[in-house]
Amino acid sequence: MTTSLDGSALAGPLSEVFAVDITRGIGRCANCGDSNPIGRVDVYLDAPGSVGRCPSCEHVLIRLTRSPDRLWLDMQGLISLELPIP
């Protein structure tokens, strides 16, 4: 059985891309339309990379994969991402 973590598992890898803490941002699911903090998404680390799923409908919101010299980020599962600015 696959166990998920909360969206905080994405904080470290995403801090390499975003200047703000993305886990505090609010993402809107492209599938069901629900809005949730990114820190609340269900994260699965047993794929080739990390996969963040909507806590409401389990739709894939974020995919993040790393190699030693590259990072691939797919966020097409989000309609929008609202980030707080410090």
Side-chain angles (χ1 to χ4, degrees):
M1 181 175 180
T2 304
T3 304
S4 69
L5 303 171
D6 68 24
S8 298
L10 296 173
L14 288 174
S15 70
E16 296 178 51
V17 179
F18 293 96
V20 296
D21 180 6
I22 192 171
T23 62
R24 293 181 52 215
I26 305 295
R28 186 168 177 205
C29 178
N31 185 58
C32 71
D34 276 2
S35 294
N36 290 287
I38 298 299
R40 205 173 143 233
V41 303
D42 298 323
V43 177
Y44 297 88
L45 302 175
D46 56 348
S50 303
V51 175
R53 292 184 173 270
C54 175
S56 300
C57 72
E58 299 183 355
H59 182 71
V60 174
L61 302 176
I62 300 170
R63 293 180 189 97
L64 183 119
T65 305
R66 293 196 67 205
S67 74
D69 65 339
R70 299 197 190 285
L71 183 138
W72 291 267
L73 178 60
D74 171 6
M75 298 176 68
Q76 75 181 48
L78 293 172
I79 291 174
S80 65
L81 178 60
E82 175 187 338
L83 296 168
I85 297 178

